[in-house]
Amino acid sequence: MVAPGDVPPSDDAAGAVLPSGLARPARRAATGPGRPVVLDAMGGDHGPVQTVPGALAAHREQGAEVVLVGRREQIHRELRVHGGLGELEVVHTDGIVTMTDGVAQAIARPATSLKVGCELARRRGAAFVSAGSTGAVVACAVRVLGRADGVLRPALAIALPTASGSTVLVDVGGTADPTAPMVAQFAVLGGRYARTVLGVPDPLVGLLSIGSEPGKGNRLVREAARLLPDLPVRFHGNVEGHDVLAGTVDVVATDGFTGNVVLKNIEGCVRTVLGMAADGAAAVPGALGEVGRRYSADAHGGAALLGLNGSVLVAHGSSGATAVARACTVASALTEADALTGSTVGGRA
């Protein structure tokens, strides 16, 4: 139900995305803002205390039309705090999925903000954003939105800044134990994401391994490498950990377990190295801060869940209002292109 005084989102309009991997802010214009966004207001470590001001910021500063799903009383309390009561549509639901709930628990819970949010996004053709448990978000999105034709498993992709632009890392946690055909398909999905969302004309795709030479890697990597030459990607071959931020390829494909470890290792290394540089007065503090911001959730918003019949963005669980606002803006700009739906991923383009 929509509370009295809440306003519905406006009509859809496509947004644009910068080649760097960061979405171009949606602007109010005659054609309207980007696609509407349904936000799980109860998701993440902080819930409405951060999701509500984040949604308001995305709406006020970037023109994003955001629908808040969750416990109305808590959402309205935060809307009043920030002078936004009646500014955004609110859809009430009592149930929530906690950050400690397992996937089975999350799916079984009735009328949660996660489940209702996914269903609302499907009905309205809107993008969905949640900072909730990654496993729960993925499972619910798959069940409600469904996998696109030919997609074996969905994959989480994130564009990491490099000196020359950005590199898409996929999967970063959507499927921890994939098969080789799944990993090969992640490469296809990542390539399409890089092409249609980041504007890379002919993405070069690498497979993460322990050596760049052909035949290196565990069984999963070796089997995936044998499959990739027959798929619609420009396959570079194996790449190593140091290639992820070097710009060697446009897309680095791997399993969700390894990709998640790599992502968090990068985040930790950036914080540690920048901290050491600051302590040693090795660079101007402002310059260090700018580098750090490029790798923060405040900049990238979250990871896009590829391979579904719809657009889903999974924000970091600890996201504050700024990161939530960014997630909503990026989600609003995501298109329904093949890179996101993954249609006909099994054959050559």
Side-chain angles (χ1 to χ4, degrees), residues 5 32 40 121 136 149-150 179 232 254 256 306:
D40 172 11
D149 291 343
T179 61
T254 186
L306 309 182

Side-chain angles (χ1 to χ4, degrees), residues 312-337:
V312 176
L313 193 135
V314 184
H316 198 288
S318 63
S319 292
T322 302
V324 171
R326 187 61 181 166
C328 290
T329 302
V330 172
S332 179
L334 291 179
T335 68
E336 296 182 16

